[in-house]
Amino acid sequence: MAGAAGLILAVGATQLLPGLGLNAADHLDPPGRTDPSVDSTPDRAADIADLYAWHTDDRINLVLTFSGPQATDQPATYDPDVLYQIYISNAGDRASTEIPIRVRFGTGSMTDEFGVQVSNVPGVSGAIEGPVETNLTQDGVMVRAGLFDDPFFFDLQGFMETASTGDLSFSADRDFFAGLNLTAVVISIPRQRIENGDNLIDVWADTSRFGGQL
């Protein structure tokens, strides 16, 4: 992958804190490359939706979602020309990257056959590779890439009404993303491979298209 031409199209970030998780959405950003209302040929495959990061007693879980939201009758998006990278900082400068995890997709011999490759995962010998829509386990790490229900909850109607009137109009009973899907990569890693003493753990992600823009 070194030396390949690519254009960073979208970035999302989150942070792991003891007992607290912060998530940042990145849908349709930048609009000039991913928003269909601005670009007639949006690069959906490279459009990050959200990056989720949380820990349990013994695991750190990362979920990168993209190419959504979309109707449930639409397939997942696996573009071999897009590189997905999840960056983890656990030492020194919090903007530095100690662990860059790389995700790519590839095609199989059949038209609708796809595989995923996840490389540079701490404690894993080589890359984790296998078919999508399958739990892949190697050296204590679990990876799954596939189509998922969009987990992000947001009252778009309430947001628009609040922006228009200045009065808070959000309702917990309205979820714009309910019944919509997207594509995601889930990575579950033993916690001790990420932790570094009392240092905060920062996590962010970006996408790059090989060969530049569409």
Side-chain angles (χ1 to χ4, degrees):
M1 298 179 191
L7 172 69
I8 293 178
L9 297 172
V11 181
T14 188
Q15 180 186 83
L16 290 179
L17 297 173
L20 177 65
L22 301 177
N23 303 318
D26 197 77
H27 297 267
L28 307 180
D29 189 23
R33 293 303 310 131
T34 61
D35 190 340
S37 67
V38 178
D39 186 344
S40 60
T41 58
D43 194 346
R44 291 180 56 83
D47 182 21
I48 293 174
D50 298 284
L51 173 61
Y52 301 91
W54 73 96
H55 65 79
T56 62
D57 289 342
D58 61 348
R59 312 286 294 183
I60 285 182
N61 304 297
L62 307 171
V63 180
L64 178 63
T65 65
F66 54 93
S67 189
Q70 64 184 45
T72 55
D73 60 354
Q74 298 300 304
T77 300
Y78 307 117
D79 191 329
D81 293 325
V82 175
L83 169 66
Y84 303 86
Q85 296 190 94
I86 299 174
Y87 303 97
I88 300 174
S89 176
N90 67 356
D93 181 359
R94 293 177 59 191
S96 66
T97 301
E98 281 70 53
I99 305 171
I101 298 175
R102 302 179 179 90
V103 180
R104 293 199 64 186
F105 295 102
T107 56
S109 57
M110 305 295 290
T111 302
D112 296 325
E113 187 177 63
F114 297 94
V116 64
Q117 177 191 78
V118 181
S119 59
N120 205 44
V121 180
V124 175
S125 176
I128 302 173
E129 299 178 332
V132 299
E133 300 291 354
T134 304
N135 288 348
L136 307 174
T137 58
Q138 184 172 322
D139 297 328
V141 173
M142 190 282 292
V143 167
R144 185 182 180 95
L147 193 66
F148 291 85
D149 178 59
D150 194 328
F152 193 72
F153 186 99
F154 184 65
D155 176 13
L156 180 61
Q157 178 183 333
F159 173 79
M160 299 298 290
E161 291 176 357
T162 299
S164 175
T165 66
D167 297 323
L168 288 177
S169 304
F170 291 99
S171 171
D173 296 325
R174 293 191 300 245
D175 179 15
F176 172 77
F177 294 97
L180 297 173
N181 285 346
L182 40 58
T183 309
V185 177
V186 179
I187 306 173
S188 181
I189 306 170
R191 180 169 169 170
Q192 69 270 18
R193 299 184 191 175
I194 303 295
E195 287 186 324
N196 185 11
D198 294 329
N199 290 339
L200 294 176
I201 298 173
D202 293 271
V203 183
W204 65 99
D206 68 22
T207 60
S208 303
R209 175 165 291 282
F210 288 83
Q213 296 190 115
L214 281 174

